[in-house]
Amino acid sequence: MNKTYKIEVDCANCADLMEDAARKIAGVQSATVNFMTQKMSVEFAEGKDATSVMKDVVKACKRVEPDCEIFL
C-alpha cells in the first residue's frame, strides 16, 4: 500500500535526512520526501497497519528535524 502525506520541512537536506529515517522504520518498504512539493510518499510492507507505522515514522523524522510537520 502506498500513501502520500503533506509535510512541512525547511530545507532539502532535512528532507533527505527525513527520507533516510523513514526508510529505516519496520513496516516501511520505501519512502520518498519531495522538498519542492512538500510531500512524503510511503510504501508500506504487506500486512502492516499504515497508521501505526506512520506514528513511528513521525517520531523518527522529529528526531532528525524537530520542526518538521507530517499531516496524517
Side-chain angles (χ1 to χ4, degrees):
M1 171 176 33
N2 194 10
K3 288 193 169 194
T4 302
Y5 301 92
K6 182 176 176 358
I7 64 168
E8 287 183 7
V9 62
D10 296 333
C11 69
N13 185 51
C14 295
D16 287 340
L17 294 172
M18 288 173 57
E19 187 176 290
D20 290 340
R23 287 182 179 154
K24 294 177 183 175
I25 300 301
V28 173
Q29 264 188 315
S30 68
T32 305
V33 176
N34 187 317
F35 172 69
M36 295 302 289
T37 62
Q38 296 284 293
K39 294 192 180 198
M40 172 186 267
S41 295
V42 181
E43 184 176 351
F44 300 96
E46 191 172 324
K48 294 292 182 179
D49 177 45
T51 304
S52 64
V53 172
M54 279 308 292
K55 286 180 183 178
D56 292 336
V57 169
V58 170
K59 286 179 191 174
C61 289
K62 288 276 190 185
R63 274 187 242 123
V64 170
E65 178 55 46
D67 295 336
C68 76
E69 290 291 333
I70 301 173
F71 301 96
L72 304 178

